């Protein structure tokens, strides 16, 4: 059994330490000229054991642990051992939110704090060991992990600093601002996790116009080498195949004004790389080109644009180029595949192969030979639709086995088809417009007709138009396609299991419309569902083994962790930590942490006990401010006994996520605007030429209208009667989706009235240009029914009795007396004191008895799962409020009632 070496500090010790660390020391301040010392437990491509000393678990980013104490058989006994609010550790702050994945070395957990500092936490007790925050050059905001080696922790900080901290005390050893040999600017470091291997620290620069991967000497931070995704003009590269080439030639000529797109083109590295100790390589991924006009306009940078959207392997010690593989040629979609590379030694066709798995946003994976970068599994060079204005590549590489759909699904608008296929397209995009029955069919005379003179279709193209498929071309008009700059796998880590030979791929579904000038590298279509899940594919064949569409985006830090007991741990942005069967994807165990998870779990062992830890701090992508932020580091073990303030082991449910892409602007009350929506106008009073026939996203006025059930709303295409100087001159539509409640086309001056009989969100957009989108929010104000709600019995015995799985079939029962003439319609839920997210009823049935021949008493029998209720209510006297929708004389109403119960845990 190991002896842990780190001495833990009390709160006073932590405070004193921060004063010491507040002053930057010289680059050689505490450094020793000793041989490199890897952190405890560091492995190359072998499973991790008692520790997980890198953000990828091992140097190959496999996120796979050989620990087996926690199994499917005893999983029901897995419970929290402790929770630490890392912001509360001195020096305390109220910061929340972070994307970091922790590491574990010698039983101590190291991670970035929400403020951008670093904290060390005892893995057995959860007690803070030390905390570092810098007040001289500041801290960087978004952080994705630290690294360890030579008795130090390596992190990033403000003003482009790479910092080394003493692992035992947190004292600052050195801090440097990396530059090239002649003072060359290497870009902005501050986000990407550092990597340590064999005395070298690798740091990646992102967010700027140009950024390099830079290698530093771990002993003092001195520069060793760098590699840019955008090469210098005339720079020559010679690979292991002996071929020499000038990568800058793939960016076209220098522009007449002297601008070199290659040197201003982005192509930065957004995620950490992988180390292959056997081959002596560092393998990294570079992002999309985004220079010389915009990321979606490639007209000024003809060519493949190396090394954008490319995986590159270099000599880990010298940085010398070895090989590259470009996943997207001439990327004008921000579809770069930048997840951390995952390495493995597998058998393909009976032969041992050294491979790297590559691909994320595109929803497919290349399986490459990491000795030379050549595909191990078949890749098809697929002919593409091209636009003569864009300098598109005529073909793009596609793995023969695809993980996610290649094209959008244009589903019928129908209230029975909600939410529908996860990859459904929003109507009117790409010219897909509803017919009389709600079927979305291509209209060649729609807005997309303007692009046709510039498009070339491959021979034998099945439809002869753009269907919303991967790499469909665009110019000035929005073309919706899959996956997106925020979909596919994006930057979540993947995992490889030595036991199952499966690769685990978390994904998001978030189709995006591309056009020149679109902000954020594309418009995620307003009103679409932003969901996701996780899938597994066979590493040796590329075939999908299973897929579990969990319902929340999994592509922004929600990386999985696989174990040798064939469990898969993964967190969700709704705060749920899941344990899944690694063989088939079934969810076996779940735990609510109380704040969003944008981090990969880790597992480790202390004193013979296996722990699983996860950082639940929240984030924003893609759900914005609806994500519950936090600062909680949780750790679990078999038989854990930690309970929260409510008396439950779990945290309260997080706030409801805005799953559908929201419209902009605050809700406008219907009476304030005469219950009228103006189509294709972003302002109700702006009578100017620039305001007419708006194509902006907020080109419905108001974008968000809030009205009670039963309200008649008028949709107006404003003509001269509204704007006498500059009326709209085009016809415009109000197409409601995805229910198909209405679809009308109005000439200037025409109106359409619609009465909303049911509560809900009703998104609609324009057929003339699909970008203007609005939402009618129809609400029901609940009517209180005092005394109608009763719980049977009035004392609720909650809490864990026998393990998590044993509670799943236990119920809380209540009754609700129905007023005469009311019929239950749906939406039964409880409002609880600890969460803004209602607890939905698991079962509802109506029953009754005749009191007299003319009078009948009717009530609902309601059941709620104890597992859903327990962590959302405190112990003692608690008020619970029931709400549901009912029909009364054919009119929808909402009734509510509150009862006080005694909760015992």
């Amino acid at each position: 059994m190991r002896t842990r070496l780190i001495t833990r500090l009390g709160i006073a010790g932590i405070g004193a330490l921060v004063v010491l660390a507040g002053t930057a020391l010289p680059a050689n301040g505490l450094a020793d000229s000793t041989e490199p010392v890897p952190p405890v437990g560091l492995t190359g491509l072998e499973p991790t054991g008692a520790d997980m000393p890198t953000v990828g678990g091992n140097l190959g980013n496999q996120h796979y642990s050989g620990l087996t104490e926690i199994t499917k058989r005893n999983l029901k006994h897995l419970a929290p051992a402790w929770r630490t609010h890392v912001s509360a550790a001195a020096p305390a702050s109220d910061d929340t939110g972070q994307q970091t994945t922790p590491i574990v070395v010698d039983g101590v957990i190291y991670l970035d704090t929400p403020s951008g500092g670093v904290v060390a936490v005892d893995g057995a007790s959860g007690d803070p060991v030390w905390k570092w925050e810098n007040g001289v050059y500041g801290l960087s905001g978004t952080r994705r992990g630290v690294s360890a080696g030579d008795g130090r922790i390596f992190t990033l900080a403000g003003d482009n600093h790479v910092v080394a901290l003493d692992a035992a005390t947190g004292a600052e050893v050195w801090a440097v601002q990396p530059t090239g040999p002649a003072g060359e600017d290497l870009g902005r470091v501050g986000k990407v996790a550092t990597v340590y291997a064999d005395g070298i620290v690798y740091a990646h620069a992102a967010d700027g116009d140009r950024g390099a991967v830079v290698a530093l000497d771990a002993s003092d931070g001195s520069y060793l080498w760098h590699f840019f995704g955008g090469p210098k003009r005339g720079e020559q590269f010679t690979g292991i195949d002996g071929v020499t080439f000038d990568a800058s030639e793939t960016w076209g000529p220098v522009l007449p004004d002297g601008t070199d797109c290659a040197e201003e083109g982005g192509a930065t590295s957004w995620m950490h790389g992988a180390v292959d100790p056997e081959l002596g390589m560092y393998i990294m991924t570079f992002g999309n080109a985004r220079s010389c006009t915009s990321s979606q306009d490639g007209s000024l940078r003809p060519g493949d644009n190396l090394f954008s959207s490319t995986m590159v392997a270099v000599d880990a010690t010298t940085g010398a180029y070895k090989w590259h593989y470009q996943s997207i040629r001439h990327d004008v979609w921000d579809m770069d595949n930048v997840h951390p590379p995952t390495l493995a030694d597998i058998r393909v066709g009976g032969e041992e192969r050294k491979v790297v798995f590559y691909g994320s946003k595109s929803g497919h994976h290349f399986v490459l030979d990491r000795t030379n970068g050549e595909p191990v599994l078949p890749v098809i060079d697929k002919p593409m639709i091209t636009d003569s204005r864009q300098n598109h590549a005529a073909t793009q590489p596609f793995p023969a086995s695809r993980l996610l759909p290649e094209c959008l699904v244009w589903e019928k608008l129908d209230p029975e088809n909600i939410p529908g296929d996860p990859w459904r397209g929003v109507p009117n995009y790409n010219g897909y417009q509803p017919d009389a029955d709600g079927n979305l069919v291509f209209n060649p005379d729609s807005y997309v007709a303007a692009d046709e003179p510039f498009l070339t279709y491959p021979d034998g193209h099945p439809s002869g138009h753009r269907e919303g498929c991967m790499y469909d071309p665009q110019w000035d008009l929005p073309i919706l396609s899959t996956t997106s700059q925020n979909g596919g796998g994006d930057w979540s880590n993947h995992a490889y299991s030595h036991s199952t030979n499966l690769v685990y791929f978390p994904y998001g579904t978030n189709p995006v419309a591309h056009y020149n000038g679109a902000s954020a590298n594309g418009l995620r279509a307003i009103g679409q569902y932003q969901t996701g899940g996780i899938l597994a594919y066979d590493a040796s064949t590329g075939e999908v083994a299973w897929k579990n569409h969990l319902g929340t985006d999994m592509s922004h830090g929600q990386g999985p962790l696989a174990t040798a007991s064939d469990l898969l741990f993964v967190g969700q942005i709704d705060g749920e930590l899941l344990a899944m069967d690694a063989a088939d994807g079934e969810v076996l165990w779940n735990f609510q942490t109380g704040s969003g998870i944008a981090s990969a779990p880790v597992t480790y062992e202390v004193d013979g006990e296996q722990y699983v830890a996860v950082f639940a701090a929240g984030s924003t992508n893609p759900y914005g401010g609806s994500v519950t932020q936090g600062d909680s580091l949780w750790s679990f073990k078999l038989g854990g006994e930690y309970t929260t303030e409510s008396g439950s082991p779990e945290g309260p449910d997080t706030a409801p996520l805005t799953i559908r892409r929201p419209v902009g602007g605050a809700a406008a009350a219907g009476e304030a605007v005469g219950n009228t929506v103006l189509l294709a106008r972003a302002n109700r009073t702006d009578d100017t030429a620039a305001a007419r026939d708006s194509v902006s996203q907020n080109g419905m006025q108001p974008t968000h209208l809030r009205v009670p059930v039963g309200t008649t709303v008028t949709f107006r295409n404003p003509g001269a009667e509204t704007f006498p100087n500059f009326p709209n001159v085009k016809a415009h539509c109000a197409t409601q989706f995805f229910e198909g409640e209405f679809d009308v086309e109005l000439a200037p001056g025409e109106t359409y009235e619609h009465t909303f009989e049911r509560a809900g969100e009703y998104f609609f957009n324009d057929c003339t240009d699909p970008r203007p989108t609005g939402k009618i929010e129809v609400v029901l104000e609940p009517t209180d029914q005092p005394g109608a709600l009763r719980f049977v019995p009035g004392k609720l015995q909650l809490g864990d009795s026998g393990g998590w799985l044993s509670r799943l079939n236990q119920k809380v029962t209540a009754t609700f007396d129905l007023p005469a003439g009311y019929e239950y319609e749906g939406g039964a839920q409880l409002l609880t004191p600890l969460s803004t997210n209602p607890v939905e009823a698991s079962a509802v049935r109506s029953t009754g008895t005749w009191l007299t021949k003319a009078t009948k008493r009717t009530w609902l029998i309601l059941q709620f799962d104890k597992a859903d209720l327990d962590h959302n209510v405190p112990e003692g006297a608690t008020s619970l409020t029931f709400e549901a929708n009912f029909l009364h004389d054919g009119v929808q109403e909402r009734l509510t009632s509150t009862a006080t119960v005694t909760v015992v845990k």
Side-chain angles (χ1 to χ4, degrees):
M1 187 173 295
R2 90 170 80 191
T3 301
R4 290 184 288 154
L5 302 176
I6 290 184
T7 303
R8 282 135 189 85
L9 305 180
I11 296 299
I14 295 173
L17 171 64
V18 173
V19 174
L20 169 64
T23 302
L25 299 177
N28 61 353
L30 299 177
D32 296 321
S33 57
T34 57
E35 290 297 315
V37 180
V40 174
L42 184 66
T43 64
L45 274 65
E46 297 76 32
T48 60
D51 294 297
M52 298 196 84
T54 80
V55 287
N58 58 12
L59 290 173
N61 291 324
Q62 292 180 342
H63 287 263
Y64 178 76
S65 170
L67 297 181
T68 57
E69 183 190 6
I70 300 170
T71 67
K72 299 173 191 177
R73 185 180 297 274
N74 61 26
L75 187 61
K76 66 181 181 179
H77 300 297
L78 186 65
W82 51 262
R83 175 181 63 169
T84 297
H85 291 286
V86 298
S87 290
S93 72
D94 58 2
D95 294 284
T96 57
Q98 195 52 278
Q99 299 175 355
T100 188
T101 291
I103 66 172
V104 188
V105 180
D106 197 28
V108 177
I109 303 173
Y110 301 91
L111 70 157
D112 306 293
T113 66
S115 65
V118 178
V119 65
V121 177
D122 186 301
S125 69
D127 294 335
V129 180
W130 54 257
K131 187 177 181 181
W132 171 85
E133 295 202 357
N134 180 275
V136 177
Y137 42 81
L139 302 171
S140 55
T142 300
R143 296 286 295 108
R144 292 174 176 166
V146 300
S147 60
D150 298 347
R152 295 165 181 169
I153 301 298
F154 303 98
T155 187
L156 307 178
D159 200 20
N160 284 342
H161 279 82
V162 182
V163 181
L165 307 173
D166 186 285
T169 67
E172 193 171 300
V173 179
W174 52 254
V176 299
Q177 296 170 297
T179 59
E184 183 175 11
D185 183 0
L186 300 181
R188 286 188 259 167
V189 298
K191 176 181 290 185
V192 184
T194 58
V195 174
Y196 169 91
D198 198 24
I200 298 176
V201 178
Y202 303 92
H204 294 222
D207 286 319
D209 291 335
R210 193 179 189 219
V213 174
V214 58
L216 305 175
D217 189 315
S219 67
D220 59 7
S222 57
Y223 167 90
L224 295 175
W225 57 260
H226 72 273
F227 193 99
F228 275 113
K232 283 187 176 182
R233 184 62 52 176
E235 188 172 2
Q236 301 289 314
F237 296 88
T238 302
I240 57 176
D241 57 4
V243 175
T244 298
F245 62 99
D246 181 349
S248 69
E249 291 180 348
T250 66
W251 290 80
V254 176
L255 301 183
D257 66 358
T259 301
D260 190 336
C261 295
E263 295 194 23
E264 297 184 7
T268 58
S269 190
W270 295 93
M271 296 301 295
H272 61 276
V275 179
D276 187 330
E278 181 182 355
L279 298 178
M281 291 182 183
Y282 188 70
I283 302 175
M284 51 204 170
T285 55
F286 289 95
N288 65 300
R290 56 181 191 270
S291 71
C292 293
T293 307
S294 80
S295 61
Q296 292 163 99
D297 181 352
S299 60
L300 298 180
R301 47 178 171 87
D304 288 348
N305 304 154
L306 290 174
F307 295 98
S308 71
S309 300
T310 301
M311 173 176 281
V312 179
V314 298
D315 185 287
T317 302
T318 67
Y321 167 84
K322 295 292 185 181
W323 56 258
H324 74 271
Y325 190 88
Q326 189 171 39
S327 60
I328 306 171
R329 305 172 183 126
H330 191 76
D331 185 358
V332 293
W333 305 275
D334 188 13
M335 290 295 294
D336 48 1
N337 296 302
V338 293
H339 73 97
T342 307
L343 315 183
D345 294 337
I346 64 174
R347 295 188 68 83
V348 179
E351 181 182 355
E352 289 285 347
R353 302 298 297 268
K354 299 180 183 300
V355 302
V356 53
F357 305 105
Y358 174 43
S360 62
K361 288 185 184 180
S362 297
H364 53 224
H365 251 195
F366 300 96
V367 182
L368 307 177
D369 187 321
R370 63 179 191 272
T371 68
N372 57 21
E374 295 296 322
V376 169
L377 296 183
V379 173
I380 300 168
D381 214 28
K382 185 175 180 179
M384 306 304 299
I385 308 171
T386 59
D387 187 312
S388 60
R389 299 165 291 187
Q390 279 281 31
N391 292 310
H392 283 121
T395 62
Q396 294 287 357
F398 281 72
S401 296
R402 185 162 175 81
L403 305 182
L404 298 177
E406 186 178 324
C407 301
L408 295 177
V409 177
W410 300 99
E411 285 192 314
K412 180 180 180 179
L413 304 184
D414 190 319
E416 300 301 318
N417 194 19
I418 304 298
D421 191 285
W423 284 271
R424 75 184 307 171
V426 172
N428 291 323
Y429 279 94
N430 300 17
Y432 277 84
Q433 299 177 342
D435 63 13
D437 296 321
N439 298 300
L440 295 184
V441 295
F442 178 70
N443 177 7
D445 298 322
S446 63
Y447 76 99
V448 297
D451 284 341
E452 285 302 317
F454 306 96
L455 301 181
T456 299
Y457 294 88
D459 292 340
H461 190 273
S463 68
H465 61 265
R466 291 166 292 182
E467 301 172 81
C469 299
M470 186 69 62
Y471 312 138
D472 272 354
Q474 81 284 336
W475 187 245
D476 284 331
L477 299 171
I479 298 299
L480 190 67
S481 63
T482 188
T483 50
S484 86
Q485 86 277 17
N486 279 103
D490 206 347
W491 57 265
S492 288
N493 72 266
H494 308 144
Y496 168 75
S497 170
H498 293 244
S499 172
T500 64
N501 195 42
L502 297 177
V503 179
Y504 301 96
F505 181 96
Y507 64 88
T509 60
N510 211 333
V512 67
H514 295 289
Y515 56 95
N516 291 346
S519 61
N521 295 346
L523 169 65
R524 286 168 274 177
I526 294 172
Q528 71 186 5
Y529 294 94
Q530 304 174 114
T531 61
I534 189 167
L535 62 81
Y537 69 91
D538 188 306
S540 299
T541 67
E543 295 296 328
V544 173
W546 57 258
K547 181 186 297 181
N548 190 333
H549 194 78
L550 296 166
T552 61
D553 179 277
M554 299 292 289
S555 65
H556 294 96
Q558 294 78 24
L561 164 70
T563 72
S565 54
D566 289 346
L567 288 173
L568 194 72
F569 292 95
V570 66
Q572 295 183 269
I573 199 63
D574 64 0
E576 290 282 337
L577 177 65
L578 310 178
M580 307 172 73
D581 189 320
D584 61 16
E586 179 186 358
V587 175
L588 305 175
W589 175 94
N590 65 289
F591 182 93
Q592 176 55 252
T593 63
S595 47
I597 299 173
S599 172
V602 296
T603 188
Y604 58 96
E605 182 183 274
V606 177
D607 297 334
E609 289 188 292
Q610 183 182 356
Y611 294 78
V612 174
V614 69
F615 190 38
S619 187
T620 56
N621 258 340
Y623 302 119
S626 69
V627 177
T628 300
Q629 305 297 308
D631 70 339
S632 295
L633 179 63
W634 289 85
S635 189
F636 304 81
K637 69 176 184 178
L638 297 177
E641 297 181 346
Y642 172 84
T643 56
T644 67
E645 296 82 355
S646 73
S648 167
E650 294 182 277
D653 286 339
T654 56
L657 294 171
T658 305
I659 295 292
R660 299 186 72 173
R661 190 70 182 167
V663 297
E671 61 268 21
V673 293
N675 293 324
T676 300
V677 176
L678 303 184
L679 305 183
R681 306 293 288 214
N683 187 288
R684 299 186 77 84
T685 60
D686 187 3
D687 190 8
T688 63
R692 68 179 3 160
D693 298 305
S694 174
V695 297
S696 68
Q697 299 170 49
N698 63 344
M700 299 290 185
Q701 181 43 239
T703 55
H704 183 179
L705 184 69
R706 195 172 192 266
V707 298
V709 165
T711 300
T712 298
V713 173
T714 300
F715 296 86
R716 180 186 299 275
N717 183 359
E721 78 291 341
T722 308
F723 297 104
N725 297 317
F726 296 96
N728 282 355
V729 296
K730 298 179 180 178
H732 293 284
C733 294
T735 302
Q736 194 278 320
F737 60 94
F738 292 100
E739 293 81 0
E741 182 93 359
F742 52 85
D743 177 37
V744 293
E745 183 174 352
L746 304 175
E750 289 185 333
T751 61
Y752 163 75
E753 292 184 346
H754 188 85
T755 301
F756 291 88
E757 303 287 1
R758 293 288 182 271
E761 291 183 317
Y762 298 85
F763 286 85
F764 60 96
N765 68 355
D766 191 358
C767 61
T768 304
D769 187 298
R771 285 171 285 193
T773 308
K775 182 180 78 171
I776 310 296
E777 181 186 1
V778 184
V779 296
L780 280 172
E781 292 298 331
T783 301
D784 189 31
Q785 303 291 302
L789 179 68
R790 297 180 181 86
F791 285 86
V792 184
K795 179 181 288 187
L796 303 186
Q797 186 72 46
L798 301 180
D800 185 8
S801 56
W804 293 106
L805 296 186
S806 68
R807 300 191 309 154
L808 294 181
N809 293 322
Q810 297 179 19
K811 306 292 183 181
V812 169
T813 302
T815 63
F816 178 78
D817 288 338
L818 277 177
Y822 282 78
E823 178 185 354
Y824 173 68
E825 186 187 41
Q829 60 186 29
L830 278 182
L831 307 181
T832 62
L834 301 182
S835 175
T836 59
N837 202 359
V839 175
E840 296 181 0
S842 58
V844 180
R845 65 183 178 90
S846 179
T847 189
T849 184
W850 288 99
L851 301 179
T852 68
K853 288 185 178 181
T855 307
K856 182 181 181 181
R857 180 194 172 202
T858 304
W859 64 92
L860 298 181
I861 297 178
L862 313 165
Q863 287 193 323
F864 301 89
D865 290 340
K866 282 188 177 183
D868 294 338
L869 192 60
D870 179 29
H871 56 289
N872 292 308
V873 296
E875 294 184 274
T878 299
S879 293
L880 299 175
T881 299
F882 168 76
E883 289 187 353
N885 294 339
F886 299 85
L887 292 179
H888 182 225
D889 295 333
V891 177
Q892 188 184 43
E893 296 185 28
R894 190 165 184 82
L895 302 182
T896 183
S897 186
T898 299
T900 299
V901 297
T902 299
V903 175
V904 178
K905 298 187 181 182

